[in-house]
Amino acid sequence: MKKILVKLGKNSYEIRTGPGILPLVGSWLKEKGFSGKAVIITDATVKKLYAGVLEHSLARYGFSATVIDVPAGEAQKTLETAGKLYYKLAEVFTERTTPILALGGGVIGDLAGFVAATYMRGVPFVQVPTTLLAQVDSSIGGKTAVDHGQIKNIVGVFYQPALVVADIDTLKTLPAVEFSNGMAEVIKTAAILDMGFFSYLEEKMEKAASFDTEVLNDIVVKSAALKSDVVMKDEKESGLRVILNYGHTIGHAVEAVSDFRIKHGPAVAIGMSLENKIACRMGLMDEREAVRINGLIKRAGLPAELPDFTDGQREKVLELIKHDKKVTGNRTRFVLIRSIGNTFITEKVEPEIIREVLFG
Ligand SMILES: NC(=O)c1ccc[n+]([C@@H]2O[C@H](COP(=O)([O-])OP(=O)(O)OC[C@H]3O[C@@H](n4cnc5c(N)ncnc54)[C@H](O)[C@@H]3O)[C@@H](O)[C@H]2O)c1
Ligand SMILES: [Zn+2]
């Protein structure tokens, strides 16, 4: 088992990763001083697979655990579902000290985290991520949120967990599309921050895709450590943390214009590839670096180009980029890379270049 310490003053916590560690959660919670009740929030799919093991582990260490499940999928990340969860928590007579455990992917992590942050003005929260995306990205950094209307993650709060437990073995039941979805964030993290890690991924991508435990463990540990480093330097995204949005300025727009038929990971992959094109056209990035990143994107089962969007859809992508929530002044802020591991933030991208890349 590997431990990564996320140092955030009184909000500090550990990420523990490794294979077969789900049964240890009960003892770790006891060690952290929790006792009595515990609530596991999960989705229907993950419940069938892993809630039993977690419940058993908690019972073994004297916890009386209640499992609450919601249907799987992004559609549950709403205030309405949060409202239902508050009722369920009240039924169980949870107390201020009762930990809520989020067992599942990023949807459950964001939703249960939001509920934990707001119920009784905040109860202890533990992340038990079971998708690659959640283990390398969403369970780290304390962003919790629900969607509202058409806008994703618009109602939320920063709320750090007390502990993150990422059991690599849970990834073995993950469908291939979910693997690719998470791998997009892994590639992003390596591309913006760490050339050595990027080369490692080039060496091991196929092993990772065949769920080799050792490789996946290395990948989760490295990605989690890199993201934690950024979060430690900028907990609330007032500066450096913005670099994690590489690929996301265009990616978010592509995702939205596709009516979310293109998942987040593939959309970010398209975003990385197009944002690299922008950097190349501006003469800031060597074409060979872009080719290398595209190569890894494709080997992870992800797209490196816009699908057959109509001109109208491309116009809409352009429009959304102009209104990106990270816009400052009147130019959209882009995270671009000069070379793998060498990242910068710029507001100097000419709208004409964005247009050329989208329609090119
Ligand atoms: N908070 C953050 O910083 C942050 C960062 C990135 C993404 N997110 C959010 O994360 C969400 C996406 O997360 P996700 O991709 O994990 O989606 P998800 O939670 O919907 O999980 C994807 C699917 O995999 C299933 N699943 C989960 N674990 C499984 C397992 N071990 N075996 C088999 N199936 C399993 C789920 O039931 C679901 O159907 C989005 O809502 C996004 O906004 C948040
Ligand atoms: Zn993302």
Side-chain angles (χ1 to χ4, degrees):
M1 188 263 293
K2 291 256 168 59
K3 289 183 190 177
I4 297 160
L5 179 63
V6 187
K7 275 187 249 161
L8 295 169
K10 64 175 176 31
N11 292 336
S12 299
Y13 58 97
E14 270 176 13
I15 301 165
R16 298 185 181 182
T17 74
I21 60 174
L22 197 54
L24 303 177
V25 174
S27 74
W28 289 343
L29 286 195
K30 196 171 171 199
E31 190 187 286
K32 293 213 159 288
F34 295 110
S35 62
K37 290 175 186 160
V39 173
I40 299 167
I41 297 181
T42 188
D43 73 30
T45 307
V46 179
K47 182 184 175 181
K48 279 189 217 129
L49 293 164
Y50 303 111
V53 180
L54 186 55
E55 238 186 316
H56 186 74
S57 165
L58 290 167
R60 233 181 108 200
Y61 287 88
F63 289 92
S64 146
T66 304
V67 180
I68 305 173
D69 65 304
V70 300
E74 181 77 23
Q76 294 302 316
K77 238 179 80 172
T78 59
L79 282 172
E80 196 189 342
T81 305
K84 288 183 191 160
L85 291 171
Y86 298 138
Y87 277 123
K88 293 250 167 90
L89 292 172
E91 274 169 27
V92 188
F93 294 109
T94 55
E95 289 146 22
R96 262 225 168 103
T97 51
T98 305
I100 291 182
L101 289 80
L103 173 70
V107 165
I108 289 299
D110 280 12
L111 172 69
F114 178 76
V115 166
T118 47
Y119 192 66
M120 291 177 151
R121 296 194 190 84
V123 299
F125 177 48
V126 175
Q127 289 267 22
V128 188
T130 62
T131 62
L132 182 60
L133 180 128
Q135 295 193 352
V136 300
D137 189 0
S138 63
S139 68
I140 307 157
K143 278 190 184 176
T144 76
V146 293
D147 307 331
H148 195 59
Q150 292 304 307
I151 315 177
K152 280 194 69 174
N153 300 322
I154 195 71
V155 181
V157 55
F158 280 98
Y159 194 63
Q160 302 294 346
L163 178 69
V164 180
V165 180
D167 185 337
I168 305 300
D169 281 345
T170 61
L171 302 180
K172 293 194 172 141
T173 50
L174 213 55
V177 292
E178 298 301 342
F179 169 83
S180 297
N181 201 41
M183 194 46 81
E185 303 288 1
V186 173
I187 295 173
K188 172 202 78 178
T189 306
I192 55 172
L193 290 166
D194 195 321
M195 166 74 155
F197 183 38
F198 194 91
S199 304
Y200 175 88
L201 293 173
E202 288 182 315
E203 218 178 284
K204 309 277 187 185
M205 184 53 75
E206 282 66 34
K207 279 203 159 177
S210 60
F211 295 94
D212 179 293
T213 305
E214 205 176 312
V215 170
L216 276 180
N217 197 40
D218 285 350
I219 288 175
V220 171
V221 169
K222 189 70 195 173
S223 309
L226 286 168
K227 178 161 183 191
S228 301
D229 265 349
V230 173
V231 169
M232 283 192 276
K233 289 179 188 140
D234 178 21
E235 185 179 354
K236 303 219 165 137
E237 199 171 302
S238 48
L240 178 72
R241 193 163 170 173
V242 170
I243 66 168
L244 298 173
N245 286 318
Y246 166 58
H248 284 61
T249 306
I250 294 182
H252 279 146
V254 167
E255 210 181 343
V257 170
S258 79
D259 269 335
F260 298 93
R261 273 187 286 273
I262 301 179
K263 281 177 78 76
H264 183 70
V268 168
I270 294 166
M272 290 191 281
S273 174
L274 297 184
E275 289 172 16
N276 289 346
K277 273 194 186 161
I278 291 176
C280 288
R281 288 209 184 189
M282 290 170 77
L284 299 166
M285 185 187 201
D286 189 322
E287 203 83 48
R288 281 170 298 187
E289 296 284 308
V291 169
R292 225 178 131 182
I293 296 173
N294 278 358
L296 196 55
I297 285 174
K298 287 182 198 152
R299 281 171 60 203
L302 292 159
E305 274 159 37
L306 267 184
D308 45 1
F309 270 18
T310 61
D311 282 357
Q313 284 174 308
R314 284 166 210 258
E315 286 294 347
K316 263 198 195 161
V317 172
L318 202 57
E319 201 52 36
L320 286 181
I321 292 170
K322 276 191 204 149
H323 294 113
D324 188 272
K325 63 181 169 198
K326 269 103 194 167
V327 169
T328 51
N330 52 11
R331 285 270 179 97
T332 303
R333 183 158 60 182
F334 277 90
V335 180
L336 300 179
I337 62 183
R338 285 189 192 85
S339 59
I340 294 162
N342 181 353
T343 310
F344 66 104
I345 297 164
T346 178
E347 274 138 37
K348 296 207 170 101
V349 180
E350 300 281 349
E352 240 350 270
I353 295 190
I354 310 174
R355 175 174 285 279
E356 275 170 36
V357 162
L358 283 175
F359 284 84

